[in-house]
Amino acid sequence: MRLDIVSIFPEYFSPLDVSLIGKARERGTLDVRVHQLRDWTHDVHKTVDDTPYGGGPGMVMKPEVWGEAIDAVIAEGAADGDDEAPAAPRIIVPTPSGRPFTQEIAQELAAEPWLLFACGRYEGIDSRVMREYGTRMRVDELSIGDYVLAGGEVAVLVMVEAIGRLLPGVLGNVHSAVDDSFAPGAMRNLLEGPVFTKPPVWRGHEVPEVLLSGHHGKIARWRRDEALRRTIANRPELAAAIDPATLDKHDRKLLEELAFRVGPEDMAH
Ligand code: SAM
Protein backbone atom coordinates (compact mmCIF):
# COMPACT_ATOMS: atom_id res chain seq x y z
CA MET A 1 0.00 0.00 0.00
CA ARG A 2 1.26 3.45 -0.86
CA LEU A 3 0.65 6.36 1.54
CA ASP A 4 1.44 9.98 0.70
CA ILE A 5 1.18 12.53 3.48
CA VAL A 6 1.30 16.29 2.84
CA SER A 7 1.93 18.56 5.84
CA ILE A 8 3.75 21.70 6.93
CA PHE A 9 5.30 19.59 9.74
CA PRO A 10 6.80 16.48 8.10
CA GLU A 11 8.87 15.91 11.27
CA TYR A 12 5.63 14.93 13.06
CA PHE A 13 5.77 11.60 11.23
CA SER A 14 8.97 10.16 12.68
CA PRO A 15 6.91 7.70 14.82
CA LEU A 16 6.10 5.94 11.54
CA ASP A 17 9.72 4.70 11.54
CA VAL A 18 9.21 2.55 14.64
CA SER A 19 7.29 -0.51 15.84
CA LEU A 20 4.78 -2.36 13.64
CA ILE A 21 4.47 0.40 11.06
CA GLY A 22 8.26 0.89 10.88
CA LYS A 23 8.72 -2.83 10.28
CA ALA A 24 5.96 -2.87 7.65
CA ARG A 25 7.80 -0.06 5.87
CA GLU A 26 11.10 -1.94 6.04
CA ARG A 27 9.44 -5.01 4.56
CA GLY A 28 7.83 -2.94 1.80
CA THR A 29 4.23 -3.70 2.89
CA LEU A 30 3.80 0.04 3.40
CA ASP A 31 5.40 2.67 1.19
CA VAL A 32 5.05 5.95 3.14
CA ARG A 33 6.14 9.25 1.63
CA VAL A 34 5.89 12.49 3.59
CA HIS A 35 5.89 15.79 1.67
CA GLN A 36 6.47 19.37 2.85
CA LEU A 37 3.52 21.48 1.65
CA ARG A 38 5.67 24.62 1.63
CA ASP A 39 7.76 23.14 -1.22
CA TRP A 40 4.89 24.17 -3.50
CA THR A 41 4.78 27.84 -2.43
CA HIS A 42 6.30 30.57 -4.62
CA ASP A 43 6.90 33.46 -2.24
CA VAL A 44 9.92 34.13 -0.07
CA HIS A 45 7.94 33.51 3.15
CA LYS A 46 6.56 30.19 1.84
CA THR A 47 3.04 31.28 2.76
CA VAL A 48 0.35 28.59 2.99
CA ASP A 49 -2.48 30.54 4.69
CA ASP A 50 -4.55 33.68 4.33
CA THR A 51 -7.40 35.47 6.12
CA PRO A 52 -10.87 33.90 5.90
CA TYR A 53 -13.49 35.31 3.55
CA GLY A 54 -16.43 36.58 5.59
CA GLY A 55 -14.15 37.58 8.46
CA GLY A 56 -13.62 35.84 11.75
CA PRO A 57 -10.61 34.67 13.69
CA GLY A 58 -7.77 32.49 12.43
CA MET A 59 -6.37 31.76 9.01
CA VAL A 60 -7.36 29.37 6.21
CA MET A 61 -4.99 27.26 4.11
CA LYS A 62 -4.75 28.55 0.54
CA PRO A 63 -6.18 26.45 -2.29
CA GLU A 64 -3.42 27.18 -4.84
CA VAL A 65 -0.63 25.63 -2.80
CA TRP A 66 -2.74 22.59 -1.93
CA GLY A 67 -3.72 22.17 -5.58
CA GLU A 68 -0.13 22.24 -6.77
CA ALA A 69 1.00 19.87 -4.01
CA ILE A 70 -1.74 17.30 -4.62
CA ASP A 71 -1.31 17.44 -8.42
CA ALA A 72 2.45 16.87 -8.06
CA VAL A 73 2.10 14.03 -5.55
CA ILE A 74 -0.49 12.31 -7.74
CA ALA A 75 1.65 12.72 -10.87
CA GLU A 76 4.69 11.31 -9.05
CA GLY A 77 2.72 8.37 -7.66
CA ALA A 78 1.13 7.57 -11.01
CA ALA A 79 4.56 7.66 -12.69
CA ASP A 80 6.05 5.35 -10.02
CA GLY A 81 3.22 2.83 -10.18
CA ASP A 82 3.15 -0.23 -12.41
CA ASP A 83 0.50 -0.72 -15.10
CA GLU A 84 -1.97 -2.16 -12.61
CA ALA A 85 -1.58 0.67 -10.10
CA PRO A 86 -4.56 3.07 -9.90
CA ALA A 87 -4.11 6.45 -11.57
CA ALA A 88 -5.39 8.30 -8.50
CA PRO A 89 -5.29 7.85 -4.72
CA ARG A 90 -8.20 8.05 -2.33
CA ILE A 91 -7.74 11.39 -0.56
CA ILE A 92 -8.25 11.63 3.21
CA VAL A 93 -8.66 15.02 4.85
CA PRO A 94 -8.69 14.94 8.67
CA THR A 95 -11.08 17.46 10.14
CA PRO A 96 -13.22 17.63 13.30
CA SER A 97 -16.19 18.33 11.03
CA GLY A 98 -15.76 15.08 9.08
CA ARG A 99 -17.45 11.66 9.39
CA PRO A 100 -16.20 9.72 12.41
CA PHE A 101 -13.18 7.52 11.64
CA THR A 102 -14.12 4.02 12.84
CA GLN A 103 -12.69 0.51 12.74
CA GLU A 104 -15.02 -0.17 9.82
CA ILE A 105 -13.52 2.72 7.85
CA ALA A 106 -10.02 1.57 8.83
CA GLN A 107 -10.88 -1.86 7.32
CA GLU A 108 -12.21 -0.23 4.18
CA LEU A 109 -9.14 1.98 3.77
CA ALA A 110 -6.79 -0.96 4.42
CA ALA A 111 -8.10 -2.49 1.19
CA GLU A 112 -7.10 0.57 -0.87
CA PRO A 113 -3.83 0.50 -2.82
CA TRP A 114 -3.06 4.21 -2.45
CA LEU A 115 -4.07 6.88 0.08
CA LEU A 116 -3.14 10.55 0.16
CA PHE A 117 -3.53 12.38 3.49
CA ALA A 118 -3.82 16.19 3.47
CA CYS A 119 -3.02 17.64 6.92
CA GLY A 120 -4.79 20.89 7.70
CA ARG A 121 -3.61 23.54 10.16
CA TYR A 122 -5.10 26.84 11.32
CA GLU A 123 -8.88 26.87 10.54
CA GLY A 124 -8.45 24.17 7.92
CA ILE A 125 -8.08 23.94 4.14
CA ASP A 126 -10.08 26.11 1.69
CA SER A 127 -13.17 23.96 0.98
CA ARG A 128 -12.78 24.27 -2.79
CA VAL A 129 -9.78 21.91 -2.62
CA MET A 130 -12.00 19.05 -1.43
CA ARG A 131 -14.69 19.99 -3.95
CA GLU A 132 -12.17 20.10 -6.84
CA TYR A 133 -10.60 16.69 -6.16
CA GLY A 134 -13.96 15.22 -5.23
CA THR A 135 -15.03 15.57 -8.87
CA ARG A 136 -12.17 13.31 -9.97
CA MET A 137 -11.50 10.88 -7.14
CA ARG A 138 -12.84 9.78 -3.78
CA VAL A 139 -12.25 12.39 -1.06
CA ASP A 140 -13.16 11.60 2.58
CA GLU A 141 -13.22 14.17 5.35
CA LEU A 142 -12.74 12.20 8.57
CA SER A 143 -12.71 13.09 12.26
CA ILE A 144 -10.86 11.04 14.89
CA GLY A 145 -13.08 12.27 17.74
CA ASP A 146 -15.19 15.04 19.20
CA TYR A 147 -12.37 17.35 20.20
CA VAL A 148 -10.21 19.84 18.31
CA LEU A 149 -6.50 19.26 17.68
CA ALA A 150 -4.09 21.93 16.52
CA GLY A 151 -3.46 20.16 13.22
CA GLY A 152 -4.16 17.10 11.13
CA GLU A 153 -0.79 15.40 11.74
CA VAL A 154 -1.73 13.55 14.92
CA ALA A 155 -5.05 12.50 13.37
CA VAL A 156 -3.17 11.08 10.38
CA LEU A 157 -0.81 9.17 12.68
CA VAL A 158 -3.85 7.66 14.39
CA MET A 159 -5.42 6.64 11.09
CA VAL A 160 -2.21 5.28 9.57
CA GLU A 161 -1.59 3.10 12.63
CA ALA A 162 -5.18 1.81 12.67
CA ILE A 163 -5.09 1.07 8.92
CA GLY A 164 -1.50 -0.22 8.82
CA ARG A 165 -1.97 -2.87 11.51
CA LEU A 166 -4.76 -4.41 9.41
CA LEU A 167 -2.53 -5.01 6.39
CA PRO A 168 -1.59 -8.62 5.76
CA GLY A 169 1.55 -9.64 7.66
CA VAL A 170 1.77 -6.51 9.85
CA LEU A 171 0.43 -8.07 13.07
CA GLY A 172 2.46 -10.99 14.41
CA ASN A 173 -0.72 -12.89 15.24
CA VAL A 174 -3.45 -12.70 12.60
CA HIS A 175 -6.10 -13.40 15.25
CA SER A 176 -5.25 -10.28 17.28
CA ALA A 177 -7.32 -8.00 15.05
CA VAL A 178 -10.25 -10.46 15.04
CA ASP A 179 -10.66 -10.23 18.84
CA ASP A 180 -10.22 -6.47 19.03
CA SER A 181 -12.89 -4.11 20.27
CA PHE A 182 -14.98 -2.93 17.27
CA ALA A 183 -13.87 -5.90 15.14
CA PRO A 184 -16.48 -6.77 12.50
CA GLY A 185 -18.65 -9.83 12.99
CA ALA A 186 -20.84 -11.09 15.82
CA MET A 187 -18.74 -9.24 18.46
CA ARG A 188 -19.01 -6.00 16.50
CA ASN A 189 -20.60 -3.90 19.25
CA LEU A 190 -18.65 -5.46 22.11
CA LEU A 191 -15.54 -3.93 23.62
CA GLU A 192 -12.74 -6.32 24.52
CA GLY A 193 -12.75 -7.35 28.17
CA PRO A 194 -9.80 -7.21 30.61
CA VAL A 195 -6.59 -9.10 29.79
CA PHE A 196 -3.96 -10.67 32.11
CA THR A 197 -0.50 -12.23 31.93
CA LYS A 198 1.92 -13.85 34.40
CA PRO A 199 2.41 -13.85 37.39
CA PRO A 200 -0.91 -15.30 38.66
CA VAL A 201 -0.80 -13.02 41.73
CA TRP A 202 0.61 -9.48 41.58
CA ARG A 203 0.54 -7.19 44.65
CA GLY A 204 -2.24 -9.33 46.03
CA HIS A 205 -4.38 -9.09 42.87
CA GLU A 206 -5.25 -12.50 41.47
CA VAL A 207 -5.87 -13.44 37.88
CA PRO A 208 -9.48 -14.72 37.54
CA GLU A 209 -9.32 -18.43 38.25
CA VAL A 210 -11.20 -19.46 35.12
CA LEU A 211 -8.34 -18.16 32.95
CA LEU A 212 -5.99 -20.64 34.64
CA SER A 213 -8.42 -23.56 34.21
CA GLY A 214 -7.43 -24.50 30.64
CA HIS A 215 -11.15 -25.00 29.93
CA HIS A 216 -11.62 -23.27 26.58
CA GLY A 217 -15.41 -23.20 26.70
CA LYS A 218 -15.53 -21.63 30.17
CA ILE A 219 -12.82 -19.12 29.23
CA ALA A 220 -14.72 -18.05 26.10
CA ARG A 221 -17.91 -17.66 28.19
CA TRP A 222 -16.11 -15.59 30.84
CA ARG A 223 -14.55 -13.36 28.17
CA ARG A 224 -17.90 -12.72 26.56
CA ASP A 225 -19.51 -11.89 29.93
CA GLU A 226 -16.71 -9.46 30.73
CA ALA A 227 -16.97 -7.91 27.27
CA LEU A 228 -20.70 -7.37 27.80
CA ARG A 229 -20.19 -5.95 31.30
CA ARG A 230 -17.49 -3.56 30.10
CA THR A 231 -19.46 -2.40 27.07
CA ILE A 232 -22.53 -1.68 29.20
CA ALA A 233 -20.42 0.21 31.77
CA ASN A 234 -18.28 2.23 29.37
CA ARG A 235 -20.28 2.49 26.15
CA PRO A 236 -23.99 1.91 26.90
CA GLU A 237 -24.97 3.32 23.50
CA LEU A 238 -22.90 0.60 21.79
CA ALA A 239 -24.33 -2.11 24.03
CA ALA A 240 -27.88 -0.92 23.32
CA ALA A 241 -27.22 -1.32 19.60
CA ILE A 242 -26.24 -5.01 19.90
CA ASP A 243 -28.41 -7.11 17.61
CA PRO A 244 -30.64 -9.13 20.01
CA ALA A 245 -30.43 -12.05 17.56
CA THR A 246 -26.72 -12.42 18.39
CA LEU A 247 -27.44 -12.97 22.12
CA ASP A 248 -27.61 -16.45 23.60
CA LYS A 249 -29.49 -17.57 26.72
CA HIS A 250 -26.55 -16.86 29.00
CA ASP A 251 -26.11 -13.31 27.55
CA ARG A 252 -29.79 -12.61 28.18
CA LYS A 253 -29.52 -13.78 31.77
CA LEU A 254 -26.51 -11.54 32.36
CA LEU A 255 -28.29 -8.56 30.81
CA GLU A 256 -31.27 -9.22 33.05
CA GLU A 257 -28.99 -9.27 36.12
CA LEU A 258 -27.50 -5.96 34.99
CA ALA A 259 -30.99 -4.60 34.25
CA PHE A 260 -29.88 -3.68 30.75
CA ARG A 261 -31.94 -4.23 27.62
CA VAL A 262 -30.67 -4.20 24.06
CA GLY A 263 -32.48 -3.48 20.84
CA PRO A 264 -33.62 -0.33 19.04
CA GLU A 265 -36.24 0.85 21.53
CA ASP A 266 -34.43 -0.30 24.65
CA MET A 267 -31.98 2.50 25.27
CA ALA A 268 -32.99 2.88 28.94
CA HIS A 269 -30.11 2.09 31.30
N1 SAM B 1 -11.94 25.40 12.91
C1 SAM B 1 -11.89 24.00 12.69
C2 SAM B 1 -13.22 23.40 13.14
O1 SAM B 1 -13.72 23.79 14.17
O2 SAM B 1 -13.70 22.46 12.48
C3 SAM B 1 -10.78 23.37 13.49
C4 SAM B 1 -9.47 23.46 12.82
S1 SAM B 1 -8.21 22.62 13.74
C5 SAM B 1 -7.65 23.89 14.81
C6 SAM B 1 -6.89 22.50 12.61
C7 SAM B 1 -6.75 21.17 11.91
O3 SAM B 1 -6.56 20.15 12.87
C8 SAM B 1 -7.92 20.70 11.08
O4 SAM B 1 -7.91 21.27 9.79
C9 SAM B 1 -7.69 19.22 11.02
O5 SAM B 1 -6.74 18.88 10.04
C10 SAM B 1 -7.07 18.92 12.37
N2 SAM B 1 -8.01 18.38 13.37
C11 SAM B 1 -8.39 18.98 14.52
N3 SAM B 1 -9.23 18.21 15.23
C12 SAM B 1 -9.39 17.08 14.52
C13 SAM B 1 -10.16 15.90 14.72
N4 SAM B 1 -10.92 15.74 15.80
N5 SAM B 1 -10.09 14.94 13.78
C14 SAM B 1 -9.33 15.09 12.69
N6 SAM B 1 -8.59 16.19 12.43
C15 SAM B 1 -8.61 17.18 13.33
Side-chain angles (χ1 to χ4, degrees):
M1 170 186 250
R2 175 166 173 151
L3 299 182
D4 285 283
I5 303 172
V6 184
S7 159
I8 58 169
F9 293 117
E11 55 276 30
Y12 250 101
F13 296 96
S14 50
L16 297 182
D17 291 335
V18 297
S19 189
L20 286 178
I21 301 296
K23 290 208 182 86
R25 293 178 75 181
E26 274 169 28
R27 275 199 305 270
T29 309
L30 260 182
D31 175 6
V32 182
R33 305 187 189 199
V34 184
H35 310 270
Q36 169 56 270
L37 177 69
R38 293 191 197 276
D39 289 350
W40 284 280
T41 56
H42 299 289
D43 64 314
V44 63
H45 300 295
K46 298 187 179 294
T47 310
V48 294
D49 59 321
D50 208 335
T51 52
Y53 273 124
M59 301 293 271
V60 174
M61 295 189 105
K62 293 163 70 62
E64 303 97 314
V65 63
W66 271 108
E68 285 194 37
I70 295 173
D71 287 348
V73 169
I74 292 177
E76 183 200 299
D80 282 357
D82 52 40
D83 288 346
E84 286 177 22
R90 184 157 164 181
I91 298 182
I92 310 295
V93 183
T95 164
S97 52
R99 282 191 298 144
F101 176 73
T102 58
Q103 187 67 13
E104 198 175 343
I105 294 180
Q107 295 270 5
E108 188 187 313
L109 296 179
E112 294 281 348
W114 185 10
L115 300 174
L116 190 163
F117 292 92
C119 301
R121 281 266 150 184
Y122 318 111
E123 294 305 315
I125 302 171
D126 186 307
S127 286
R128 289 169 294 180
V129 174
M130 282 64 87
R131 201 192 304 159
E132 160 69 11
Y133 289 96
T135 62
R136 291 187 257 152
M137 58 201 77
R138 176 108 191 234
V139 177
D140 295 87
E141 296 184 75
L142 298 176
S143 165
I144 63 157
D146 293 346
Y147 39 78
V148 179
L149 303 164
E153 289 74 13
V154 170
V156 169
L157 283 172
V158 167
M159 292 192 236
V160 169
E161 186 155 314
I163 296 164
R165 69 190 283 282
L166 297 174
L167 298 179
V170 173
L171 284 182
N173 181 339
V174 286
H175 299 297
S176 302
V178 177
D179 289 345
D180 281 340
S181 304
F182 313 115
M187 301 287 277
R188 186 192 169 80
N189 274 342
L190 282 184
L191 303 178
E192 194 177 88
V195 293
F196 302 88
T197 186
K198 295 174 203 67
V201 183
W202 177 76
R203 296 191 181 178
H205 303 282
E206 291 178 8
V207 168
E209 218 178 305
V210 59
L211 296 181
L212 310 176
S213 69
H215 191 300
H216 297 304
K218 283 188 183 158
I219 293 173
R221 183 73 258 169
W222 180 87
R223 286 194 169 139
R224 187 166 169 95
D225 289 354
E226 290 304 306
L228 263 172
R229 283 183 202 280
R230 184 175 273 193
T231 310
I232 288 167
N234 294 347
R235 297 289 302 275
E237 83 290 1
L238 271 187
I242 290 173
D243 177 0
T246 63
L247 299 174
D248 60 24
K249 235 167 79 183
H250 189 102
D251 294 332
R252 289 175 199 283
K253 203 167 146 248
L254 178 66
L255 290 172
E256 221 174 281
E257 274 167 38
L258 298 171
F260 192 88
R261 294 167 73 91
V262 303
E265 291 148 47
D266 303 320
M267 299 290 284
H269 173 56

